[in-house]
Amino acid sequence: MTDPAQSPRPADVEPSPDPRPRTADVFVEESAPRDQEAPLVEELDVLGFTVRAARALPARRPIEQLAWAVLVVLPLQAFLTALGGKAGEDAHHGLSNAVRKVLRRASEAEPSTGPSTEPTGESEAEPLADAPTTSPTVVLQDPATGIQIILGPHLDDTAYRALRALDLTGITQGPVRYDTAEARWLSDVDEATSR
């Protein structure tokens, strides 16, 4: 007969903080420069995500609303938790540097189409949901909710710091973007329906 005091108890076993695997699917345009997404894939790895092979998608019609350079499908809450839990200032610096590199590569690969029409978020007259964009963005999309977070070239350190603390519980629809006038991340659709 074994002594119950000597057998391992559940409390002695290190619990896993999140039993679901942290995976991310990365999509790029089929015409994207080779390894355009590499800086972002490296940062996702640092944050503890396993990136399944980056997949190319056929070029989209110009009428589509978001001109994304890279689409990352991953559990957003797990991503934000990892980003917020990463020690020190390098948490948002790593992500912002990766996004800037990806967007620079995307911009260099595209022929210039004139001035950008990407909404800056500086006024309510520029809702993201209605505005076409020509500047590439990085889009993070939750596979369960479909909520998207838009990371554009205009974001500064303040926006990335705020992203670390973003609470998704009050957001029912996306896309979510950073509003520089209000200094916060918000969903235009949720804002419009709450008025």
Side-chain angles (χ1 to χ4, degrees):
M1 185 168 220
T2 61
D3 181 5
Q6 293 180 355
S7 63
R9 297 183 312 269
D12 295 336
V13 178
E14 184 71 29
S16 173
D18 187 352
R20 294 169 293 179
R22 289 177 146 184
T23 58
D25 292 310
V26 177
F27 299 93
V28 296
E29 295 278 358
E30 68 182 358
S31 60
R34 182 176 167 86
D35 295 328
Q36 169 182 294
E37 74 287 351
L40 196 54
V41 168
E42 290 170 15
E43 186 59 25
L44 289 168
D45 183 55
V46 168
L47 291 172
F49 283 83
T50 301
V51 177
R52 294 187 273 217
R55 292 178 275 193
L57 294 178
R60 290 160 293 139
R61 298 185 317 264
I63 196 166
E64 293 189 40
Q65 292 177 345
L66 295 176
W68 51 264
V70 176
L71 170 66
V72 181
V73 179
L74 76 172
L76 284 177
Q77 192 57 59
F79 172 77
L80 295 173
T81 300
L83 188 64
K86 191 174 170 188
E89 286 292 302
D90 50 307
H92 71 274
H93 285 299
L95 179 61
S96 66
N97 288 338
V99 168
R100 284 185 188 111
K101 286 177 186 176
V102 166
L103 296 180
R104 186 175 338 122
R105 289 178 183 181
S107 293
E108 289 170 356
E110 288 184 355
S112 177
T113 58
S116 169
T117 59
E118 178 177 348
T120 62
E122 292 177 4
S123 78
E124 290 185 43
E126 299 182 296
L128 182 62
D130 298 328
T133 62
T134 57
S135 291
T137 60
V138 170
V139 177
L140 308 176
Q141 180 174 316
D142 190 274
T145 65
I147 292 174
Q148 297 177 326
I149 296 176
I150 311 304
L151 304 176
H154 65 283
L155 296 179
D156 60 12
D157 280 348
T158 303
Y160 281 100
R161 278 191 200 100
L163 182 62
R164 292 177 65 193
L166 177 62
D167 180 10
L168 292 175
T169 58
I171 298 172
T172 60
Q173 298 182 53
V176 176
R177 63 172 177 84
Y178 187 73
D179 186 308
T180 55
E182 294 191 30
R184 68 183 180 112
W185 290 88
L186 57 83
S187 162
D188 286 329
V189 176
D190 285 345
E191 290 290 311
T193 58
S194 70
R195 292 180 186 169

